[in-house]
């Protein structure tokens, strides 16, 4: 069985904290060691430019994030680890995809819609302060994924829409240019991602200013942990593990045996100072060796640059041949090459969209309109008997493209499908039928 390709983008903004480590870095590094998996990790510095216009901050954050992942055990010899901006094929592919991406689909992207909604609520112009970078973010993300033939992309639920868009752009390109140039990715929803509490008990987040730095020195780490918010129960009073930020942090770094022992100590009324000392000890035991590696890497940025440049060479060994294929597919070709003759081209009749009628488990009868690539464009509501569904289909075929108005009354478009795609499919079906008469 062929290896599965798994691709992960790493945001290059800010300084990593314990929540980033437990929720993203540690599980991703563990996953990179699985057999039968080709793991791609890239520093998304082009994406960072959408929000950050401070060059020094972009550079420093990229350095810190790269050093963090390497210090935490990511092996660049066993994975593809590269910087997005070192792969010129990514922005070129972004443009090719832009030329097939539907604007209506991009209008529905969550980040863009949220920005528009905020402007509207504030009484501003809908697009005030919104850059084309924010609007086109999903196309750049699609290029990141499709260029390397990723089968799976681990994401949170808020990013699933972007993976569906990547599938849409890739499928449309494949259909327009006649073959499966792109692997269509699947989102892997990370339901069990560890979410650590911060110093104030809320989710650890830079926006709350409650983070515990991942690679702060031991004295700073201890000081931050000692400042962790707890309740007012005195030594000797039993303490609840439920809802305790201290206990949750401890559990994320301790063994099951250590966790059980602290749970018992809570029941017996351990003093908060002693509990915090135990928390510091268990976190520092895991972080200290990585902190040493991190500090060594940060002291030698040229070494990190060398690792990323080697990663770019490795990544471009995949990207460059595919981009060459895609350029040829769209017609960006050597003008000295032989052009296909009209007679040769006429033998290749493109696949057409099609209506399909079927019965579901609910006992009702349906029809659907499928794209030439097999994707469902729309599906009818249920009919009580096959004659009723068949009669409506016959009516649609008799009306031609004008049938769209009738179809809207009895069917629903599939998720993320644009109306223009449906109209194009109807036009292709009825144009072909007319040519056959």
């Amino acid at each position: 069985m062929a290896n599965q390709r798994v691709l992960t983008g790493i945001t290059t903004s800010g300084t990593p904290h314990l929540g980033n480590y437990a929720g993203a870095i540690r599980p991703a590094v563990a996953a990179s060691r699985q057999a039968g998996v080709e793991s791609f990790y890239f520093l998304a510095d082009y994406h960072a430019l959408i929000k950050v216009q401070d060059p020094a901050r972009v550079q420093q954050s990229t350095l810190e994030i790269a050093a963090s992942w390497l210090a935490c055990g990511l092996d660049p010899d066993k994975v593809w680890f590269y910087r997005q901006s070192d792969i010129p094929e990514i922005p070129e592919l972004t443009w090719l995809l832009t030329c097939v991406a539907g604007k209506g689909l991009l209008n529905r992207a969550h980040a863009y819609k949220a920005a528009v909604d905020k402007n509207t609520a504030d009484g501003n112009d809908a697009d005030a302060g919104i850059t084309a970078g924010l609007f086109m973010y999903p196309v750049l993300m699609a290029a990141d994924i499709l260029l390397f033939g990723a089968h799976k992309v681990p994401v949170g639920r808020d990013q699933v829409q972007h993976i569906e868009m990547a599938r849409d752009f890739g499928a449309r390109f494949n259909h327009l240019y006649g073959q499966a140039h792109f692997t269509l990715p699947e989102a892997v929803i990370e339901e069990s991602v560890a979410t650590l509490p911060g110093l104030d008990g809320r989710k650890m987040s830079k926006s709350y200013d409650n983070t515990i730095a991942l690679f702060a020195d031991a004295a700073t780490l201890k000081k931050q942990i000692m400042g962790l918010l707890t309740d007012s129960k005195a030594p000797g009073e039993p303490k609840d593990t439920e809802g305790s930020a201290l206990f949750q942090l401890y559990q994320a770094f301790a063994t099951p045996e250590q966790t059980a022992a602290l749970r018992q100590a809570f029941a017996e009324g351990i003093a908060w100072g002693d509990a915090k000392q135990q928390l510091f000890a268990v976190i520092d035991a895991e972080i200290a060796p990585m902190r040493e590696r991190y500090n060594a890497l940060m002291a030698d940025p040229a070494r990190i640059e060398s690792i990323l440049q080697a990663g770019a060479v490795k990544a471009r060994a995949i990207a460059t041949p595919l981009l060459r294929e895609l350029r040829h597919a769209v017609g960006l070709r050597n003008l000295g090459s032989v052009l296909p003759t009209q007679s040769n081209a006429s033998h290749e009749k493109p696949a057409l969209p099609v209506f399909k009628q079927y019965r579901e488990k609910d006992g009702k009868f349906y029809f659907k309109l499928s794209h030439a690539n097999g994707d469902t464009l729309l599906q009818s509501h249920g009919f009580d008997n096959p004659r009723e569904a068949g009669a409506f289909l016959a009516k649609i075929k008799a009306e031609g493209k004008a049938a769209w108005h009738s179809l809207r009354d009895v069917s629903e478009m599939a998720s993320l499908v644009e109306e223009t795609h449906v109209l194009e499919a109807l036009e292709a079906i009825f144009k072909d039928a007319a040519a056959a008469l």
Side-chain angles (χ1 to χ4, degrees):
M1 185 176 177
N3 287 345
Q4 288 280 302
R5 285 189 178 176
V6 180
L7 182 140
T8 299
I10 304 166
T11 304
T12 55
S13 61
T15 301
H17 53 70
L18 285 183
N20 300 139
Y21 172 70
I25 302 175
R26 184 169 63 183
V29 170
S32 74
R33 297 168 180 159
Q34 295 176 357
V37 175
E38 295 178 346
S39 299
F40 290 70
Y41 299 90
F42 70 93
L43 300 168
D45 53 348
Y46 274 146
H47 288 292
L49 299 181
I50 295 171
K51 293 183 178 179
V52 183
Q53 282 81 45
D54 179 348
R57 182 180 167 198
V58 171
Q59 181 184 23
Q60 182 65 21
S61 182
T62 302
L63 177 66
E64 291 177 358
I65 299 297
S68 297
W69 280 73
L70 292 169
C72 291
L74 192 69
D75 187 345
D77 292 330
K78 295 181 180 178
V79 302
W80 282 257
F81 183 54
Y82 55 95
R83 181 170 41 200
Q84 188 184 33
S85 60
D86 287 332
I87 314 298
E89 291 81 3
I90 291 175
E92 184 169 359
L93 177 54
T94 299
W95 179 250
L96 298 185
L97 295 176
T98 297
C99 294
V100 303
K103 180 177 180 295
L105 189 55
L106 292 171
N107 286 341
R108 298 195 288 275
H110 296 323
Y112 173 67
K113 281 186 66 179
V116 169
D117 291 346
K118 184 178 186 306
N119 279 335
T120 303
D122 293 343
N124 298 323
D125 178 80
D127 285 323
I130 298 176
T131 65
L134 175 65
F135 185 74
M136 296 300 295
Y137 174 96
V139 187
L140 177 57
M141 185 169 173
D144 293 327
I145 297 165
L146 296 173
L147 186 60
F148 295 102
H151 300 98
K152 298 183 182 298
V153 184
V155 290
R157 285 199 172 276
D158 61 333
Q159 291 285 317
V160 170
Q161 184 194 45
H162 289 143
I163 309 306
E164 293 177 347
M165 286 182 168
R167 288 179 60 87
D168 182 274
F169 304 153
R172 185 155 178 76
F173 189 99
N174 287 347
H175 172 61
L176 285 172
Y177 295 106
Q179 71 183 75
H181 298 284
F182 295 122
T183 298
L184 303 186
E186 294 181 13
V188 178
I189 301 174
E190 299 176 309
E191 299 282 15
S192 58
V193 170
T195 301
L196 296 190
L199 295 171
D200 59 1
R202 294 182 293 175
K203 175 185 175 181
M204 192 178 296
S205 170
K206 291 186 287 288
S207 61
Y208 294 149
D209 193 26
N210 66 351
T211 61
I212 300 174
L214 177 57
F215 291 126
D217 59 70
T220 302
L221 175 63
K222 185 172 185 177
K223 182 178 179 180
Q224 288 185 314
I225 288 174
M226 289 300 175
L228 189 67
L229 186 67
T230 54
D231 63 32
S232 58
K233 289 183 178 177
E237 288 186 78
K239 295 168 178 63
D240 295 324
T241 57
E242 187 69 30
S244 168
L246 191 154
F247 191 82
Q248 289 177 54
L249 283 165
Y250 188 88
Q251 197 169 23
F253 289 89
T255 65
E257 293 76 18
Q258 289 172 319
T259 300
L262 185 63
R263 188 186 300 278
Q264 181 62 33
F266 264 52
E268 294 171 356
I270 186 173
W272 284 125
D274 292 340
K276 289 176 180 179
Q277 179 60 44
Q278 289 192 32
L279 174 60
F280 164 72
V282 77
I283 291 178
D284 194 55
E286 181 167 337
I287 299 300
M290 295 186 290
R291 183 193 300 127
E292 187 175 344
R293 292 195 293 270
Y294 175 81
N295 289 335
L297 286 163
M298 288 298 291
D300 188 5
R303 180 183 170 196
I304 297 176
E305 181 65 25
S306 177
I307 290 170
L308 292 176
Q309 290 298 328
V313 171
K314 189 175 176 181
R316 293 194 69 197
I318 296 172
T320 303
L322 177 60
L323 219 292
R324 189 182 303 122
E325 172 191 317
L326 300 177
R327 288 174 64 89
H328 186 273
V330 301
L332 304 179
R333 302 171 180 170
N334 182 335
L335 299 182
S337 63
V338 178
L339 295 173
T341 64
Q342 187 65 37
S343 59
N344 288 340
S346 66
H347 290 301
E348 299 178 8
K349 186 175 181 180
L352 291 170
V354 63
F355 279 104
K356 297 178 182 178
Q357 192 173 343
Y358 58 97
R359 186 178 189 179
E360 274 288 4
K361 292 180 180 179
D362 61 6
K364 294 196 173 185
F365 296 85
Y366 297 80
F367 64 79
K368 65 181 178 180
L369 175 61
S370 296
H371 195 285
N373 65 15
D375 289 347
T376 298
L377 296 175
L378 61 80
Q379 176 179 294
S380 73
H381 301 161
F383 292 88
D384 292 329
N385 60 71
R387 289 189 301 278
E388 190 178 350
F392 196 89
L393 258 186
K395 177 177 181 289
I396 296 301
K397 292 175 180 177
E399 290 181 1
K401 187 178 176 182
W404 172 231
H405 299 292
S406 301
L407 275 170
R408 278 193 299 198
D409 294 336
V410 298
S411 59
E412 295 179 356
M413 290 194 297
S415 174
L416 296 180
V417 169
E418 295 185 67
E419 183 175 318
T420 53
H421 290 182
V422 178
L423 291 173
E424 287 170 1
L426 293 173
E427 184 174 19
I429 291 173
F430 297 120
K431 181 178 179 181
D432 187 71
L437 293 176

